[in-house]
């Protein structure tokens, strides 16, 4: 067995209404040369990223939904093993903001009790179409004691920062606990999925 | 085979990758030195650019030189595509260029094609 090349492994999820930009947050590229490639037709399931925080090498495994959120069928199996959740709404879509409360209940019901959450108000590049003020986002986050940030997957604003902050919050929580193996290795073949086209950022 | 035109001998040290494996397009680090094992076999890997929407029959090329990794968390940065048959294709985690290789679900092995990445 090769020696481990990292100290900690955090599984992170993207949650929120359909259309808020979760897939774009994971699959960041927009109008570039790669969008007509083989990969963009299949879509990305998850990414592994390595960050270094406080001298620790941390692997982030970031999962996107396969579209289950449309049918409100996100259940325990998607949340299994998750240590962090990005709860995303669209600042140009009131409904997606109101549903944050619903998603928080869903998370309470299905996810690990001590899962670290962060609310993202995405599409902050669309200033002329904004419906949800930043203050409302901050308020709801404060009420629930959750971190908050406005992001743009399209303009690449705050995406990396958000993931780093979430990872740091998890690190704070896990500090002192036994590193490494408490995270169960996530099965790649855990869910059935059809290859859906990416309808993203174009 | 496209990857036979190049001499990768100097990239292999004791069966492992001597240097970092990076994305050809954006330089994102995919594997750090000494973390992957050199392996050869033939595999039909879809082309990065498809001339048309090929759907179920993407254009492929035969690739034969790989860096193999048995634990996906060995990767520094990488993306896994949705499942196609028993395979997930690997991409750059930062610019999504790919496939740079594939992951075989039954064996949990991942293979990065030497010809689809940069060594530095
Ligand atoms: N302007 C803008 N559009 C975005 C942004 N993120 C996503 N979109 C668009 O919103 C739509 C839905 O995005 P998608 O990632 O598929 O949402 P999902 O259903 O949550 O995965 C697509 O048309 C994207 O192009 C963003 O940050 N800014
Ligand atoms: Mg999506
Ligand atoms: Zn890249």
């Amino acid at each position: 067995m090769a020696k481990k090349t990292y100290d900690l492994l955090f599984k992170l999820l993207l949650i929120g209404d359909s259309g808020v930009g979760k897939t774009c947050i994971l699959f960041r590229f927009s109008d570039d040369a790669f969008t007509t490639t083989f990969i963009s037709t299949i879509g990305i399931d998850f990414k592994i990223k390595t960050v270094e925080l406080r001298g620790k090498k941390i692997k982030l495994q970031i999962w996107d939904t396969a579209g289950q959120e449309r049918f409100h069928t996100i259940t325990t199996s998607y949340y299994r093993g998750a240590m962090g959740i990005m709860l995303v709404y669209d600042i140009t879509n009131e409904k997606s903001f109101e549903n944050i409360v619903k998603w928080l209940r869903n998370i309470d019901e299905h996810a690990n009790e001590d899962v670290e959450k962060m609310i993202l108000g995405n599409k902050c590049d669309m200033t002329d179409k904004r419906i949800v003020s930043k203050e409302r986002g901050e308020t709801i986050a404060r009420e629930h004691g959750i971190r908050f940030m406005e992001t743009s997957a399209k303009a690449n604003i705050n995406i990396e920062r958000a993931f780093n902050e979430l990872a740091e919050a998890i690190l704070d929580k896990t500090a002192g606990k036994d590193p490494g193996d408490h995270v169960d290795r996530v099965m790649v073949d855990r869910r059935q999925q059809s290859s859906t086209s990416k309808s993203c950022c174009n | 085979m496209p990857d036979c035109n190049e001499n990768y001998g100097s990239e292999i040290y004791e069966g492992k990758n001597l240097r970092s494996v990076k994305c050809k397009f954006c330089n994102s680090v995919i594997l750090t030195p000494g973390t992957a094992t050199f392996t050869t076999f033939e595999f039909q890997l879809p082309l990065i650019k498809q001339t048309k929407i090929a759907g179920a029959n993407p254009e492929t090329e035969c690739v034969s030189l790989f860096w193999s990794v048995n634990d996906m968390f060995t990767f520094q940065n990488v993306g896994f595509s949705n499942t196609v048959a028993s395979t997930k294709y690997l991409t750059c985690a930062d610019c999504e260029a790919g496939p740079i290789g594939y992951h075989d679900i039954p064996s949990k092995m991942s293979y990065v094609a030497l010809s689809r990445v940069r060594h530095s």
Side-chain angles (χ1 to χ4, degrees):
Chain A
M1 178 76 196
K3 119 172 139 39
K4 257 210 243 148
T5 57
Y6 57 97
D7 301 309
L8 291 162
L9 170 63
F10 296 164
K11 179 187 170 184
L12 311 181
L13 306 179
L14 290 155
I15 295 276
D17 277 12
S18 182
V20 297
K22 299 181 298 299
T23 299
C24 287
I25 286 171
L26 187 68
F27 197 136
R28 225 175 41 208
F29 256 63
S30 41
D31 339 291
D32 80 328
F34 298 120
T35 42
T36 54
T37 65
F38 176 72
I39 291 296
S40 56
T41 3
I42 307 176
I44 303 238
D45 193 18
F46 64 87
K47 280 186 179 176
I48 293 170
K49 289 226 171 196
T50 307
V51 295
E52 213 161 309
L53 293 173
R54 294 190 219 125
K56 283 200 158 54
K57 258 202 173 171
I58 299 169
K59 298 272 167 176
L60 305 180
Q61 189 186 35
I62 311 166
W63 293 80
D64 186 15
T65 61
Q68 311 98 307
E69 75 277 23
R70 241 170 300 161
F71 316 105
H72 298 275
T73 51
I74 297 210
T75 53
T76 312
S77 63
Y78 182 66
Y79 288 113
R80 189 161 296 137
M83 302 165 80
I85 294 175
M86 288 294 191
L87 187 44
V88 190
Y89 69 89
D90 171 354
I91 66 149
T92 71
N93 180 330
E94 174 73 28
K95 187 82 192 152
S96 75
F97 179 72
E98 285 167 10
N99 279 341
I100 287 288
V101 181
K102 277 194 193 160
W103 285 116
L104 282 169
R105 271 205 298 274
N106 192 262
I107 292 167
D108 276 347
E109 209 173 305
H110 295 290
N112 230 330
E113 186 170 10
D114 64 350
V115 71
E116 191 65 39
K117 287 161 284 198
M118 182 160 182
I119 295 176
L120 301 183
N122 191 41
K123 309 197 188 180
C124 71
D125 57 289
M126 294 175 83
T127 40
D128 52 332
K129 295 233 173 74
R130 179 192 284 273
I131 287 169
V132 184
S133 70
K134 192 172 178 184
E135 289 68 39
R136 289 175 69 200
E138 285 165 346
T139 304
I140 198 168
R142 200 175 332 107
E143 279 169 8
H144 290 87
I146 305 174
R147 273 151 229 274
F148 169 76
M149 218 177 261
E150 284 200 341
T151 57
S152 167
K154 191 163 198 173
N156 194 14
I157 297 167
N158 279 346
I159 302 293
E160 206 139 306
R161 221 180 111 205
F163 281 108
N164 278 340
E165 246 188 57
L166 185 62
E168 203 146 352
I170 299 169
L171 184 60
D172 284 340
K173 237 177 217 178
T174 50
K177 285 194 209 162
D178 200 31
D181 293 319
H182 62 286
V183 185
D184 56 323
R185 289 300 166 90
V186 184
M187 303 289 287
V188 187
D189 46 347
R190 156 189 74 102
R191 64 189 189 214
Q192 296 284 70
Q193 55 206 171
S194 52
S195 306
T196 45
S197 303
K198 183 172 78 85
S199 64
C200 175
C201 287
N202 37 30
Chain B
M1 244 163 277
D3 53 1
C4 291
N5 303 326
E6 278 203 60
N7 184 3
Y8 291 108
S10 61
E11 298 299 342
I12 305 161
Y13 178 72
E14 294 184 342
K16 304 267 185 186
N17 56 310
L18 179 65
R19 301 195 284 174
S20 287
V21 173
K22 296 182 179 176
C23 172
K24 270 187 179 177
F25 302 92
C26 77
N27 252 349
S28 171
V29 178
I30 299 159
L31 289 160
T32 49
T35 55
T37 305
F38 181 71
T39 318
T40 63
F41 59 91
E42 291 188 0
F43 187 81
Q44 290 292 333
L45 196 61
L47 297 175
I48 292 180
K49 290 223 164 154
Q50 302 284 326
T51 49
K52 54 180 192 294
I53 306 297
N57 290 308
E59 296 166 87
T60 62
E61 67 179 354
C62 187
V63 184
S64 64
L65 311 177
F66 297 94
W67 295 120
S68 76
V69 168
N70 62 13
D71 174 1
M72 66 165 81
F73 298 109
T74 301
F75 284 105
Q76 192 75 3
N77 298 291
V78 76
F80 281 66
S81 79
N82 286 321
T83 303
V84 178
S86 63
T87 298
K88 283 178 171 294
Y89 292 100
L90 304 178
T91 73
C92 170
D94 287 313
C95 76
E96 277 88 33
I100 53 169
Y102 74 101
H103 172 83
D104 180 58
I105 295 173
S107 67
K108 298 189 167 66
M109 292 296 290
S110 301
Y111 302 96
V112 175
L114 271 70
S115 60
R116 299 267 175 109
V117 292
R118 178 201 304 277
H119 300 87
S120 74

